[in-house]
């Protein structure tokens, strides 16, 4: 079985599913099998909720204070696992929890999931990827209609209910797109993190 929990740089990550509703052109899954100390993040069969909980309960988090939900798939595509795993991480391990997401979880689950996330997730990082719908569609190739607007709406709801939310882009975007992302960030009041492409 692939690693459910793995270390990368200064954090521990949870790889709870390989399901995803995008097919991003830059996705690391298409470049290599593993990240950090994980040999592979490809599950032969996606883990059950019980397997994820067991992995968290049995993991030594000494030296770490946060569990980040981010792997070779979109965590909100396994929402019931995400919610329970985050609850266990907080209540039993005393960890902070962060969700790294494409922001399409409401559409994926057919309802506003943010109130449920707010109970167990401390911070949210959403991949913005592009400043407008056309560019977003071409880069992320989502299986969701109107994905850009839905992602922006999700980000706004996270800001209202969770508070600690950031958009992220990588610095390979052309300067005009980075500038447009900054303007969207200012307009919405959602902080923008510009990551260096490695
Ligand atoms: S949303 Fe994440 S996991 Fe899914 S294709 Fe894009 S980069 Fe890969």
């Amino acid at each position: 079985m692939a690693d459910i929990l793995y270390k990368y740089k200064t954090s521990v990550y949870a790889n709870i599913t390989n399901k995803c509703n995008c097919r991003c052109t830059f996705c690391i899954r298409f470049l290599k099998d593993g990240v950090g100390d994980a040999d592979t993040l490809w599950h032969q069969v996606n883990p059950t909720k019980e397997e994820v909980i067991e992995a968290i309960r049995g993991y030594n988090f000494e030296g770490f204070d946060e569990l980040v939900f981010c792997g070779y798939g979109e965590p909100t595509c396994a929402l019931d696992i995400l919610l329970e795993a985050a609850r266990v991480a907080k209540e039993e391990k005393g960890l902070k929890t962060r969700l790294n997401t494409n922001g399409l979880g409401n559409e994926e689950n057919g309802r506003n999931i943010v109130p449920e996330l707010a109970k167990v997730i401390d911070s949210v990082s959403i991949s913005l990827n592009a400043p407008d719908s056309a560019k977003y569609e071409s880069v992320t190739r989502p299986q969701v209609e109107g994905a850009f607007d839905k992602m922006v709406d999700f980000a706004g709801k996270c800001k209202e209910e969770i508070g600690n939310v950031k958009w992220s882009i990588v610095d390979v975007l052309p300067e005009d797109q980075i500038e447009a992302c900054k303007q969207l960030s200012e307009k919405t009041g959602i902080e923008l993190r510009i990551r260096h492409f490695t």
Side-chain angles (χ1 to χ4, degrees):
M1 185 196 282
D3 295 47
I4 294 174
L5 299 178
Y6 63 102
K7 291 189 187 107
Y8 177 60
K9 295 187 177 171
T10 57
S11 297
V12 180
Y13 291 79
N15 174 42
I16 64 171
T17 184
N18 288 152
K19 290 187 215 158
C20 190
N21 44 16
C22 288
R23 203 160 52 85
C24 301
T25 54
F26 56 83
C27 183
I28 194 170
R29 308 193 301 177
F30 307 128
L31 298 176
K32 55 185 189 173
D33 288 342
V35 172
D37 68 352
D39 291 332
T40 179
L41 292 174
W42 286 113
H43 298 294
Q44 287 183 352
V45 178
N46 280 314
T48 63
K49 188 193 297 181
E50 290 69 28
E51 286 167 336
V52 173
I53 300 304
E54 190 182 332
I56 292 171
R57 284 186 173 141
Y59 197 84
N60 180 3
F61 286 94
E62 196 176 329
F64 298 93
D65 65 357
E66 183 181 58
L67 179 61
V68 184
F69 289 89
C70 174
Y72 272 19
E74 164 53 40
T76 59
C77 288
L79 182 66
D80 60 330
I81 298 177
L82 168 64
L83 294 172
E84 182 62 6
R87 185 191 68 74
V88 168
K90 284 181 73 66
E91 291 182 3
E92 297 184 20
K93 294 286 187 172
L95 297 164
K96 291 182 286 180
T97 54
R98 170 156 54 99
L99 169 64
N100 287 7
T101 177
N102 62 18
L104 300 176
N106 284 351
E107 183 69 9
E108 175 69 26
N109 292 283
R111 65 181 187 276
N112 177 15
I113 65 171
V114 177
E116 295 161 77
L117 294 175
K119 291 179 185 160
V120 290
I121 294 292
D122 296 309
S123 63
V124 182
S125 175
I126 303 171
S127 303
L128 179 57
N129 293 316
D132 62 54
S133 181
K135 294 185 187 71
Y136 182 87
E137 295 270 338
S138 72
V139 168
T140 65
R141 301 182 290 185
Q143 294 167 358
V144 170
E145 294 269 321
F148 181 77
D149 290 342
K150 285 169 179 159
M151 178 273 296
V152 171
D153 181 71
F154 177 85
K157 286 183 165 67
C158 286
K159 180 173 162 55
E160 281 171 24
E161 299 220 29
I162 298 174
N164 191 347
V165 55
K166 289 179 186 157
W167 269 321
S168 73
I169 56 173
V170 282
D171 60 3
V172 294
L173 287 184
E175 194 51 46
D176 62 324
Q177 288 192 39
I178 291 178
E179 193 50 44
C181 288
K182 285 180 182 170
Q183 285 174 14
L184 181 63
S185 164
E186 277 170 28
K187 188 173 136 194
T188 56
I190 296 171
E191 189 180 330
L192 178 66
R193 180 170 163 247
I194 303 175
R195 293 186 294 114
H196 181 57
F197 182 75
T198 51

